[in-house]
Structure formats: C-alpha cells, structure tokens
Amino acid sequence: MAMSLLQHSFTAWQTVGMTDDAVTRNANRSTTPQNSAFHTYISGNWADTPALDPTQREQGSWCARRRDVLSAAFEGNTVVLPAGPMISRSYDTFHPYRAHSAFSYYTGWGSDTVPDSVLVLTPNGDGHDATVFFRFPAGRGTQEFYSNADIGEFWVGPRPTPEHVAAELGVATRSLSDFDELLQQADSNWVILREADVAITTELDGRRGAGDTRDAELAQFQSEQRLVKDEFEIAEIRRAIAATAQGFDDVLSSMGEVRAHPRGERLIEGTFNRRARADGNFVGYETIAAAGANACYLHWTRNDGPVRDGDLVLMDAGVEVESLYTADITRTFPVSGTFSETQRLVYEAVREAADAAFSIVKPGIIFRDVHAAAMAVIARHVAEWGFLPVTLAESLGDEGQHHRRYMIHGTSHHLGLDVHDCPQARREFYKDGVVLEGMVFTIEPGLYFQIDDLTVPEHFRGIGVRIEDNILVTANGAENMSSSIPRTADAVEAWVTRLS
Ligand code: GLY
Ligand code: MN
Ligand code: MN
C-alpha cells in the first residue's frame, strides 16, 4: 500500500538551499497565522492520499543501461548529478522549472521532476548503486505545507511519495535531507556535474576541494554518451517533431488574425507556444517568429513586429515533450501564400543547400562535412548572383569565406534533451567526429540579406530564409524526421494557401 502523506511527517524547514528563505522572504506582507491553535487546526482532518499503483516508466530500462555505462567509466567514484534548483525570474517568482538534461538522461525523470533532486551513484564494489534523493512530501503537520510559497504543497501542489518515484523510475529513493548529511562526508572520490547546481557544488568543493577532481571529465563524458540516441530517445524526438508540426499548422491557420495585429509576430509565438504547452512540456527554446527583415536577425525572439502581406515569415520553433526531448524546426513562408521572384530564388537556393547537405549523411562521414556541403551550394549561389568581391574558389578558401557574410551560423548541431545537445563533447567527437548510426542533428542552412547590406541589390535586402530539419542517421544513410512539414517552395505555398 502506498504510504500516506501524513506518514512522511518531516519537521518544518527540513529543506535545503534557497527554499528556506521562502517563509521569511515576504515576512513584511505575510498574513499566515502564527499561533499554535491555527497550526493544529490546519494540520489535521485531511483524508489519506489515495493509494496509487505506479508502474515503471518506459524509459526506466533505458536509463538503467545509460547508468551502467557511466558507472563503468567512473569506477570507485561517487557520482553526483543534480537536477538543479528553481531559478528566480523576478524576486520570488520563478521560471518554469526545468531539470538539468543530464539528470533526466540518467533518471528518466522529466517535466515532473521535484526541484533540487539529486541522482547519486555510490560505488558498491561491483559498480554503483543509484539513488535519487528528493524532497519527500513534508506532511500536513509541517509549516512548510501551508506557509512555504515556493515548495509548500498547499501552494504548488503535491509531491510524489518515495515509493512512487522509486517504482516509476526504477531507482532507490531517499530524502533530500539524507543527501545533505551524506554531503558532509564527501571525500576526494566524489565527482559532480558542476553546472547543474552551484550551491551543492560549492558545498562539495568545501569538503573535497575543487582542484584535483574528475568533474570536467564527467561533464564531457555525459555529453559524449548522449551523442548516439537510443530507441527511446528517437521515439521521443519523433513525438516532439509531431507536436511541432501541429504547432506550425496552428500558426498557418491563424494568419488572418496575425496579419491584423500590430504585433503579429507575438501572435505567432503565442499560437505556437500554446500548442507546446498543450501537447508537450513547453518550448525547447524561445520561439523565433520573424517577419520581413527581422528574419535576418538569426535569433530574433523579441517577436514584437507586424506581419504584412508580401513578407516572408521565418519561424524557428520546437516543442519539448514531457521527457524533455525537443524538436528544432524552421520553416520560412510567404504571408500572402506566394513567394516573390527574388524570395523564391533565395528560398530554393537554401533548399538546395539543405538537400545537398542531407544527401551526404550516412555513418562514417565527418560531421563538419555536412556544413561544408551546404556551404558549397550557398557560396555558389551568392557568387552567381554577383555578391562576392572575390572568386568562388577564393571565397571557399580558408583566407576568404566572404559568402559567410550571408550565413554566419553553422549548418548542424546535435539535438536531443538540449536543443544544442551534447555541448561538452570534445571537438574530435563533435565537429571533427565520425557520424554514427543513431545520431540526431539538424540541417539548417540559411541566407540572410540584412536590410542595410550595401553588398546586395536592393530587391534582396530584407530577405531572410532558413530551412531547418531534424535528421536521424540510419544504418545506411539518413532519415529526415521532419520531412512531413512542407519544404519546397511549391509545397510551402500550397500549405499556406490551404490553411489560410
Ligand atoms: N533554434 C536555434 C537553432 O536553430 O539552433
Ligand atoms: Mn532552430
Ligand atoms: Mn537548430
């Protein structure tokens, strides 16, 4: 039988870190009664929490395998992978909580992670034992329950029981206060993912020092392990892409309203993000909704411009699903449903670059060659259009690269739990690395002619195009996982017209 919340009667204030502050932070305006009669009254007469019968999540067995790989690499070390704290957005209001990706990778705990949780792998002589330390339900007899606005269950909703989390994730669970005690005994064998929780890292450094550790190796190892996706991850990315495709359709279906609003870009963002919240956890990154010349700003997230007939809209957006995997897709479409001649010329050049990059992808190639394949097409087109002050060959050489003025960003990055996934992987496994079956990355060439760029004719200025797809490397080649979202100029026009 599941334990009732009342059985977890931890005392008030039995929390770590910033959450202790929640009760005193707003003492000047708190109306919470402080007398013991009230405390007794609010603590009692609650029904038992209904017993649930949790089953292990599908990711449980995958995460166990991932932990085995990590365990073998860190034999004899106590490995600490924090989920991280809540991050203040403004004084006592917080950004939506998002666990560190490495924590989710090794635990399978996604959007419903209890903030401040920590995965610890403890050496057991034959590998490691995995334990998730988290803040158990405090119990209704505690002040935390009703007076802590950050974490009190009266305020933010119930936390799961240790039995529940243990069953769903397939790991042992212990309370966060136990982790605090364990941390006091840390020695030089402890390793931590430093960036995930600064407070825990600082505390640990105080115990074992910060110099001679394997911390950097851990950051690198988990990034490199995540380069090749397992079946569960690929399925989750597919789900993220499907929801993202739906979000793009939602936007195209709302273009009448978008065109009529002085900040139509914001309506695009809102419409897409609505889908992300409804069908997923959130967006995987800030939605880029860029109309007209704003499309030339590569990460335009201000999204406060109008959307006019005659404009192209560049929309770069991705739904992050509950397991925290995200899509990262860009489409550029004409608001009117028809590309102008110059817009179409630029659009199809970018598509040709994307297709050229895609055509070389298979296991065994070098990752940076994907970028080179796209750039060869981009450079050829801007040379043909007469924009380069040097020959095509000179521009493609290391001492040239003039064509990069019109596409300054890279063509590809790995994709998974983080939109820019595996960022700490070494260069020899990332940019210079061999492409392997099971990798997922973007192909996203673009051309951007800024509104004030005097190197291009006036009719090119203010045109920005990017086409971004999510690519899975298969045994013999590659699959464009996002190909169901219209990509060719003709298909995009038909898509806009159909949904307008
Ligand atoms: N959305 C950011 C990127 O495409 O890398
Ligand atoms: Mn993108
Ligand atoms: Mn991208």
Side-chain angles (χ1 to χ4, degrees):
M1 194 185 98
M3 213 178 269
S4 81
L5 293 176
L6 275 170
Q7 285 168 277
H8 297 289
S9 54
F10 293 97
T11 55
W13 332 130
Q14 197 171 28
T15 58
V16 297
M18 47 73 62
T19 48
D20 288 342
D21 303 338
V23 184
T24 50
R25 193 193 291 127
N26 293 319
N28 61 341
R29 64 181 173 85
S30 173
T31 62
T32 309
Q34 298 295 324
N35 66 75
S36 65
F38 175 77
H39 178 75
T40 303
Y41 186 63
I42 198 170
S43 297
N45 277 319
W46 302 102
D48 277 353
T49 304
L52 298 172
D53 189 15
T55 52
Q56 187 169 316
R57 296 181 186 187
E58 191 191 341
Q59 54 267 55
S61 56
W62 294 105
C63 295
R65 271 176 250 180
R66 296 171 198 164
R67 289 193 300 270
D68 285 346
V69 174
L70 182 64
S71 167
F74 287 85
E75 194 186 333
N77 292 116
T78 296
V79 181
V80 181
L81 293 147
M86 298 192 294
I87 309 289
S88 167
R89 178 178 183 276
S90 156
Y91 193 56
D92 62 348
T93 58
F94 296 87
H95 287 287
Y97 182 70
R98 193 350 177 125
H100 191 283
S101 296
F103 174 87
S104 286
Y105 181 72
Y106 292 113
T107 62
W109 211 356
S111 63
D112 56 342
T113 301
V114 174
D116 297 318
S117 298
V118 190
L119 170 65
V120 180
L121 301 189
T122 315
N124 60 14
D126 180 33
H128 289 81
D129 294 321
T131 308
V132 170
F133 292 82
F134 78 100
R135 187 175 293 113
F136 291 174
R140 277 112 184 242
T142 65
Q143 282 180 297
E144 180 202 294
F145 168 55
Y146 62 87
S147 68
N148 187 320
D150 292 348
I151 60 167
E153 291 171 83
F154 215 114
W155 292 80
V156 299
R159 297 198 287 273
T161 63
E163 293 77 13
H164 196 107
V165 174
E168 286 203 333
L169 303 183
V171 289
T173 50
R174 288 177 65 187
S175 83
L176 199 53
S177 47
D178 286 353
F179 175 72
D180 238 10
E181 278 171 32
L182 195 65
L183 192 54
Q184 307 312 311
Q185 294 145 32
D187 60 26
S188 60
N189 278 322
W190 281 47
V191 187
I192 188 166
L193 189 61
R194 301 183 68 80
E195 75 215 28
D197 193 314
V198 173
I200 294 174
T201 303
T202 305
E203 177 88 21
L204 177 56
D205 285 348
R207 297 268 146 209
R208 54 125 218 208
D212 189 20
T213 74
R214 297 185 73 193
D215 293 352
E217 224 182 303
L218 175 61
Q220 184 180 293
F221 187 88
Q222 60 85 24
S223 249
E224 290 173 4
Q225 191 182 350
R226 286 162 48 193
L227 282 166
V228 173
K229 271 58 185 176
D230 60 36
E231 265 175 50
F232 175 80
E233 297 185 283
I234 292 166
E236 289 301 290
I237 295 170
R238 282 193 203 287
R239 292 181 54 235
I241 292 170
T244 300
Q246 187 61 57
F248 274 85
D249 278 356
D250 293 346
V251 167
L252 264 63
S253 302
S254 71
M255 287 306 289
E257 211 186 340
V258 166
R259 287 205 309 266
H261 196 283
R263 296 206 295 181
E265 291 177 344
R266 284 284 166 89
L267 263 62
I268 291 176
E269 175 189 328
T271 301
F272 184 84
N273 292 14
R274 178 177 191 261
R275 176 62 60 181
R277 285 298 277 167
D279 289 3
N281 174 48
F282 205 12
V283 289
Y285 53 93
E286 290 296 299
T287 295
I288 296 168
N294 289 340
C296 301
Y297 305 122
L298 306 176
H299 283 177
W300 175 258
T301 54
R302 215 183 297 163
N303 300 346
D304 59 357
V307 176
R308 303 187 184 94
D309 268 349
D311 282 349
L312 294 180
V313 167
L314 185 158
M315 186 180 154
D316 182 342
V319 173
E320 174 187 272
V321 291
E322 304 291 350
S323 56
L324 305 183
Y325 288 85
T326 190
D328 178 13
I329 293 169
T330 307
R331 288 294 183 264
T332 307
F333 57 89
V335 175
S336 67
T338 311
F339 288 101
S340 74
E341 202 178 317
T342 311
Q343 288 170 346
R344 180 178 269 266
L345 188 71
V346 176
Y347 187 91
E348 286 293 79
V350 173
R351 183 172 69 90
E352 191 187 327
D355 290 352
F358 179 73
S359 73
I360 70 157
V361 180
K362 61 179 181 187
I365 66 160
I366 303 298
F367 188 70
R368 70 177 126 72
D369 290 344
V370 181
H371 175 64
M375 292 322 303
V377 175
I378 294 290
R380 176 163 51 76
H381 281 292
V382 293
E384 279 167 8
W385 297 335
F387 299 169
L388 298 180
V390 295
T391 65
L392 173 59
E394 285 166 339
S395 192
L396 285 169
D398 286 345
E399 299 308 314
Q401 299 292 308
H402 299 71
H403 56 280
R404 294 295 301 278
R405 179 180 176 116
Y406 312 111
M407 182 187 147
I408 196 67
H409 62 77
T411 302
S412 295
H413 57 79
H414 284 268
L415 179 71
L417 283 164
D418 290 316
V419 60
H420 298 150
D421 212 32
C422 317
Q424 290 141 316
R426 281 165 288 179
R427 188 184 175 98
E428 59 264 40
F429 293 102
Y430 202 120
K431 187 178 174 202
D432 297 340
V434 175
V435 166
L436 303 171
E437 180 182 357
M439 287 182 166
V440 176
F441 52 77
T442 65
I443 290 183
E444 49 175 309
L447 273 170
Y448 314 89
F449 302 112
Q450 305 278 333
I451 194 82
D452 53 353
D453 190 336
L454 302 180
T455 68
V456 302
E458 241 171 86
H459 61 285
F460 277 84
R461 294 181 201 159
I463 295 179
V465 172
R466 178 161 65 253
I467 304 171
E468 177 172 25
D469 285 289
N470 301 161
I471 310 301
L472 168 66
V473 183
T474 58
N476 303 310
E479 174 194 337
N480 182 344
M481 301 170 87
S482 47
S483 63
S484 72
I485 308 176
R487 298 179 71 249
T488 66
D490 288 345
V492 168
E493 285 185 347
W495 181 36
V496 175
T497 304
R498 178 168 58 84
L499 293 180
S500 289

